[in-house]
Amino acid sequence: MRIIGLAVLAGSLAACSYIHPFGDATTYQSYSVSSHPGLVGRYHCLRNALSAEGYDVEVIFPEADTPNFFDITQGQERIAQVDMYQVSGARTMDITLIAGAKATLATLDGIMQPCVRR
């Protein structure tokens, strides 16, 4: 399981270096967090925190062993994307915040902090 998780993490990092959803200005912030309260719990925490600050968050149904991407929008504009990944049975999960500007990344990172602390 650990090898699979490492392979997925390496693949995600490699993909991030080649895929830039926001063009050349794409910035990333990665978090490795405890698997408690699970993917669904972490997603709802992130969604609630961001929604409370006026951001719209795409509705998803997170599942283990598959990338769980969701968009963060402000008005009609997609300003960021989050990827959550957990290998079944693992004690940790990986969350990556992807934004089109450093200022946006910093703002969203601050809002998400209560949800991404270990």
Side-chain angles (χ1 to χ4, degrees), residues 32-59:
S32 182
V33 298
S34 167
S35 61
H36 179 76
L39 280 169
V40 174
R42 293 277 180 185
Y43 166 72
H44 284 294
C45 181
L46 292 169
R47 186 166 190 255
N48 291 339
L50 292 163
S51 294
E53 295 295 324
Y55 296 96
D56 294 316
V57 179
E58 181 180 3
V59 176

mmCIF file of all heavy atoms in Angstrom, residues 32-59:
data_model
loop_
_atom_site.group_PDB
_atom_site.id
_atom_site.type_symbol
_atom_site.label_atom_id
_atom_site.label_comp_id
_atom_site.label_asym_id
_atom_site.label_seq_id
_atom_site.Cartn_x
_atom_site.Cartn_y
_atom_site.Cartn_z
ATOM 1 N N SER A 32 0.088 17.199 3.538
ATOM 2 C CA SER A 32 -0.052 15.785 3.879
ATOM 3 C C SER A 32 -0.699 15.770 5.252
ATOM 4 O O SER A 32 -0.130 16.284 6.223
ATOM 5 C CB SER A 32 1.314 15.092 3.902
ATOM 6 O OG SER A 32 1.147 13.728 4.196
ATOM 7 N N VAL A 33 -1.903 15.227 5.326
ATOM 8 C CA VAL A 33 -2.692 15.313 6.554
ATOM 9 C C VAL A 33 -3.140 13.930 7.013
ATOM 10 O O VAL A 33 -3.129 12.968 6.245
ATOM 11 C CB VAL A 33 -3.923 16.227 6.358
ATOM 12 C CG1 VAL A 33 -3.500 17.642 6.021
ATOM 13 C CG2 VAL A 33 -4.841 15.682 5.284
ATOM 14 N N SER A 34 -3.566 13.861 8.245
ATOM 15 C CA SER A 34 -4.083 12.622 8.809
ATOM 16 C C SER A 34 -5.327 12.174 8.044
ATOM 17 O O SER A 34 -6.103 12.999 7.562
ATOM 18 C CB SER A 34 -4.440 12.850 10.276
ATOM 19 O OG SER A 34 -5.205 11.790 10.791
ATOM 20 N N SER A 35 -5.513 10.886 7.953
ATOM 21 C CA SER A 35 -6.688 10.362 7.267
ATOM 22 C C SER A 35 -7.970 10.613 8.059
ATOM 23 O O SER A 35 -9.064 10.508 7.520
ATOM 24 C CB SER A 35 -6.530 8.866 7.000
ATOM 25 O OG SER A 35 -6.392 8.164 8.217
ATOM 26 N N HIS A 36 -7.843 10.973 9.338
ATOM 27 C CA HIS A 36 -9.021 11.296 10.146
ATOM 28 C C HIS A 36 -9.368 12.755 9.919
ATOM 29 O O HIS A 36 -8.469 13.596 9.971
ATOM 30 C CB HIS A 36 -8.743 11.061 11.636
ATOM 31 C CG HIS A 36 -9.919 11.392 12.493
ATOM 32 N ND1 HIS A 36 -11.014 10.579 12.582
ATOM 33 C CD2 HIS A 36 -10.178 12.474 13.265
ATOM 34 C CE1 HIS A 36 -11.895 11.148 13.387
ATOM 35 N NE2 HIS A 36 -11.403 12.295 13.816
ATOM 36 N N PRO A 37 -10.504 13.166 9.565
ATOM 37 C CA PRO A 37 -11.804 12.503 9.580
ATOM 38 C C PRO A 37 -12.206 11.867 8.242
ATOM 39 O O PRO A 37 -13.384 11.719 7.963
ATOM 40 C CB PRO A 37 -12.743 13.639 9.942
ATOM 41 C CG PRO A 37 -12.147 14.822 9.263
ATOM 42 C CD PRO A 37 -10.654 14.605 9.351
ATOM 43 N N GLY A 38 -11.256 11.528 7.397
ATOM 44 C CA GLY A 38 -11.554 10.901 6.113
ATOM 45 C C GLY A 38 -11.696 11.918 4.998
ATOM 46 O O GLY A 38 -11.764 13.125 5.222
ATOM 47 N N LEU A 39 -11.757 11.405 3.777
ATOM 48 C CA LEU A 39 -11.884 12.276 2.607
ATOM 49 C C LEU A 39 -13.153 13.126 2.661
ATOM 50 O O LEU A 39 -13.117 14.324 2.407
ATOM 51 C CB LEU A 39 -11.903 11.443 1.324
ATOM 52 C CG LEU A 39 -10.561 10.953 0.796
ATOM 53 C CD1 LEU A 39 -10.771 9.927 -0.299
ATOM 54 C CD2 LEU A 39 -9.743 12.116 0.280
ATOM 55 N N VAL A 40 -14.253 12.498 3.003
ATOM 56 C CA VAL A 40 -15.528 13.219 3.031
ATOM 57 C C VAL A 40 -15.497 14.299 4.107
ATOM 58 O O VAL A 40 -15.905 15.442 3.869
ATOM 59 C CB VAL A 40 -16.710 12.245 3.242
ATOM 60 C CG1 VAL A 40 -18.012 13.001 3.429
ATOM 61 C CG2 VAL A 40 -16.809 11.284 2.062
ATOM 62 N N GLY A 41 -14.973 13.975 5.279
ATOM 63 C CA GLY A 41 -14.876 14.951 6.359
ATOM 64 C C GLY A 41 -13.983 16.125 5.997
ATOM 65 O O GLY A 41 -14.319 17.287 6.259
ATOM 66 N N ARG A 42 -12.822 15.825 5.389
ATOM 67 C CA ARG A 42 -11.909 16.911 4.973
ATOM 68 C C ARG A 42 -12.558 17.774 3.889
ATOM 69 O O ARG A 42 -12.458 18.992 3.906
ATOM 70 C CB ARG A 42 -10.588 16.349 4.452
ATOM 71 C CG ARG A 42 -9.743 15.674 5.467
ATOM 72 C CD ARG A 42 -8.920 16.649 6.263
ATOM 73 N NE ARG A 42 -8.119 15.884 7.225
ATOM 74 C CZ ARG A 42 -7.361 16.414 8.127
ATOM 75 N NH1 ARG A 42 -7.255 17.724 8.224
ATOM 76 N NH2 ARG A 42 -6.686 15.668 8.961
ATOM 77 N N TYR A 43 -13.216 17.128 2.922
ATOM 78 C CA TYR A 43 -13.873 17.877 1.850
ATOM 79 C C TYR A 43 -14.928 18.821 2.423
ATOM 80 O O TYR A 43 -14.978 20.003 2.062
ATOM 81 C CB TYR A 43 -14.509 16.917 0.835
ATOM 82 C CG TYR A 43 -15.478 17.611 -0.100
ATOM 83 C CD1 TYR A 43 -15.019 18.459 -1.102
ATOM 84 C CD2 TYR A 43 -16.850 17.469 0.064
ATOM 85 C CE1 TYR A 43 -15.902 19.123 -1.942
ATOM 86 C CE2 TYR A 43 -17.742 18.127 -0.767
ATOM 87 C CZ TYR A 43 -17.266 18.949 -1.766
ATOM 88 O OH TYR A 43 -18.139 19.624 -2.583
ATOM 89 N N HIS A 44 -15.772 18.323 3.323
ATOM 90 C CA HIS A 44 -16.825 19.167 3.899
ATOM 91 C C HIS A 44 -16.237 20.309 4.725
ATOM 92 O O HIS A 44 -16.757 21.427 4.696
ATOM 93 C CB HIS A 44 -17.808 18.336 4.724
ATOM 94 C CG HIS A 44 -18.747 17.555 3.868
ATOM 95 N ND1 HIS A 44 -19.690 18.148 3.056
ATOM 96 C CD2 HIS A 44 -18.875 16.229 3.666
ATOM 97 C CE1 HIS A 44 -20.359 17.223 2.391
ATOM 98 N NE2 HIS A 44 -19.881 16.043 2.742
ATOM 99 N N CYS A 45 -15.143 20.050 5.420
ATOM 100 C CA CYS A 45 -14.467 21.105 6.166
ATOM 101 C C CYS A 45 -13.985 22.194 5.201
ATOM 102 O O CYS A 45 -14.233 23.393 5.419
ATOM 103 C CB CYS A 45 -13.296 20.531 6.964
ATOM 104 S SG CYS A 45 -12.413 21.773 7.950
ATOM 105 N N LEU A 46 -13.298 21.779 4.123
ATOM 106 C CA LEU A 46 -12.804 22.738 3.131
ATOM 107 C C LEU A 46 -13.957 23.502 2.488
ATOM 108 O O LEU A 46 -13.915 24.728 2.356
ATOM 109 C CB LEU A 46 -11.984 22.020 2.057
ATOM 110 C CG LEU A 46 -10.657 21.430 2.506
ATOM 111 C CD1 LEU A 46 -10.085 20.518 1.424
ATOM 112 C CD2 LEU A 46 -9.672 22.526 2.864
ATOM 113 N N ARG A 47 -14.977 22.781 2.109
ATOM 114 C CA ARG A 47 -16.125 23.401 1.436
ATOM 115 C C ARG A 47 -16.800 24.425 2.342
ATOM 116 O O ARG A 47 -17.124 25.537 1.921
ATOM 117 C CB ARG A 47 -17.113 22.311 1.011
ATOM 118 C CG ARG A 47 -18.253 22.826 0.175
ATOM 119 C CD ARG A 47 -18.988 21.662 -0.491
ATOM 120 N NE ARG A 47 -19.918 22.198 -1.450
ATOM 121 C CZ ARG A 47 -21.231 22.247 -1.258
ATOM 122 N NH1 ARG A 47 -21.781 21.769 -0.171
ATOM 123 N NH2 ARG A 47 -22.014 22.766 -2.185
ATOM 124 N N ASN A 48 -17.019 24.057 3.605
ATOM 125 C CA ASN A 48 -17.676 24.961 4.542
ATOM 126 C C ASN A 48 -16.824 26.211 4.809
ATOM 127 O O ASN A 48 -17.345 27.327 4.856
ATOM 128 C CB ASN A 48 -17.995 24.248 5.858
ATOM 129 C CG ASN A 48 -19.085 23.208 5.687
ATOM 130 O OD1 ASN A 48 -19.864 23.241 4.751
ATOM 131 N ND2 ASN A 48 -19.116 22.246 6.598
ATOM 132 N N ALA A 49 -15.521 26.008 4.996
ATOM 133 C CA ALA A 49 -14.624 27.138 5.273
ATOM 134 C C ALA A 49 -14.589 28.098 4.089
ATOM 135 O O ALA A 49 -14.665 29.327 4.267
ATOM 136 C CB ALA A 49 -13.221 26.637 5.598
ATOM 137 N N LEU A 50 -14.463 27.570 2.882
ATOM 138 C CA LEU A 50 -14.401 28.411 1.691
ATOM 139 C C LEU A 50 -15.741 29.085 1.405
ATOM 140 O O LEU A 50 -15.789 30.268 1.050
ATOM 141 C CB LEU A 50 -13.929 27.592 0.491
ATOM 142 C CG LEU A 50 -12.468 27.137 0.570
ATOM 143 C CD1 LEU A 50 -12.197 26.005 -0.412
ATOM 144 C CD2 LEU A 50 -11.525 28.306 0.331
ATOM 145 N N SER A 51 -16.823 28.349 1.556
ATOM 146 C CA SER A 51 -18.158 28.913 1.324
ATOM 147 C C SER A 51 -18.443 30.055 2.298
ATOM 148 O O SER A 51 -19.052 31.062 1.920
ATOM 149 C CB SER A 51 -19.227 27.833 1.460
ATOM 150 O OG SER A 51 -19.087 26.876 0.434
ATOM 151 N N ALA A 52 -18.003 29.912 3.542
ATOM 152 C CA ALA A 52 -18.222 30.953 4.544
ATOM 153 C C ALA A 52 -17.520 32.259 4.179
ATOM 154 O O ALA A 52 -17.935 33.342 4.604
ATOM 155 C CB ALA A 52 -17.741 30.465 5.915
ATOM 156 N N GLU A 53 -16.479 32.161 3.362
ATOM 157 C CA GLU A 53 -15.734 33.348 2.925
ATOM 158 C C GLU A 53 -16.204 33.857 1.562
ATOM 159 O O GLU A 53 -15.575 34.729 0.963
ATOM 160 C CB GLU A 53 -14.238 33.032 2.874
ATOM 161 C CG GLU A 53 -13.639 32.738 4.231
ATOM 162 C CD GLU A 53 -13.675 33.941 5.166
ATOM 163 O OE1 GLU A 53 -13.504 35.084 4.698
ATOM 164 O OE2 GLU A 53 -13.884 33.734 6.374
ATOM 165 N N GLY A 54 -17.293 33.290 1.045
ATOM 166 C CA GLY A 54 -17.876 33.789 -0.194
ATOM 167 C C GLY A 54 -17.447 33.083 -1.467
ATOM 168 O O GLY A 54 -17.795 33.526 -2.564
ATOM 169 N N TYR A 55 -16.711 31.985 -1.351
ATOM 170 C CA TYR A 55 -16.278 31.238 -2.529
ATOM 171 C C TYR A 55 -17.292 30.141 -2.837
ATOM 172 O O TYR A 55 -17.928 29.599 -1.932
ATOM 173 C CB TYR A 55 -14.898 30.607 -2.301
ATOM 174 C CG TYR A 55 -13.816 31.631 -2.096
ATOM 175 C CD1 TYR A 55 -13.428 32.008 -0.813
ATOM 176 C CD2 TYR A 55 -13.183 32.239 -3.177
ATOM 177 C CE1 TYR A 55 -12.446 32.962 -0.614
ATOM 178 C CE2 TYR A 55 -12.200 33.198 -2.985
ATOM 179 C CZ TYR A 55 -11.833 33.547 -1.704
ATOM 180 O OH TYR A 55 -10.862 34.495 -1.507
ATOM 181 N N ASP A 56 -17.447 29.827 -4.111
ATOM 182 C CA ASP A 56 -18.283 28.696 -4.520
ATOM 183 C C ASP A 56 -17.386 27.493 -4.701
ATOM 184 O O ASP A 56 -16.319 27.587 -5.320
ATOM 185 C CB ASP A 56 -19.006 29.007 -5.835
ATOM 186 C CG ASP A 56 -20.014 30.138 -5.686
ATOM 187 O OD1 ASP A 56 -20.745 30.134 -4.680
ATOM 188 O OD2 ASP A 56 -20.058 31.009 -6.570
ATOM 189 N N VAL A 57 -17.810 26.358 -4.165
ATOM 190 C CA VAL A 57 -17.016 25.132 -4.217
ATOM 191 C C VAL A 57 -17.824 24.055 -4.927
ATOM 192 O O VAL A 57 -18.982 23.808 -4.578
ATOM 193 C CB VAL A 57 -16.628 24.664 -2.790
ATOM 194 C CG1 VAL A 57 -15.828 23.380 -2.838
ATOM 195 C CG2 VAL A 57 -15.847 25.754 -2.065
ATOM 196 N N GLU A 58 -17.202 23.454 -5.911
ATOM 197 C CA GLU A 58 -17.844 22.382 -6.672
ATOM 198 C C GLU A 58 -18.233 21.233 -5.748
ATOM 199 O O GLU A 58 -17.469 20.850 -4.860
ATOM 200 C CB GLU A 58 -16.873 21.887 -7.748
ATOM 201 C CG GLU A 58 -17.426 20.797 -8.628
ATOM 202 C CD GLU A 58 -16.417 20.344 -9.677
ATOM 203 O OE1 GLU A 58 -15.272 20.830 -9.696
ATOM 204 O OE2 GLU A 58 -16.798 19.477 -10.485
ATOM 205 N N VAL A 59 -19.412 20.687 -5.965
ATOM 206 C CA VAL A 59 -19.880 19.550 -5.173
ATOM 207 C C VAL A 59 -19.325 18.266 -5.778
ATOM 208 O O VAL A 59 -19.479 18.016 -6.974
ATOM 209 C CB VAL A 59 -21.423 19.491 -5.139
ATOM 210 C CG1 VAL A 59 -21.899 18.252 -4.399
ATOM 211 C CG2 VAL A 59 -21.990 20.746 -4.509
#
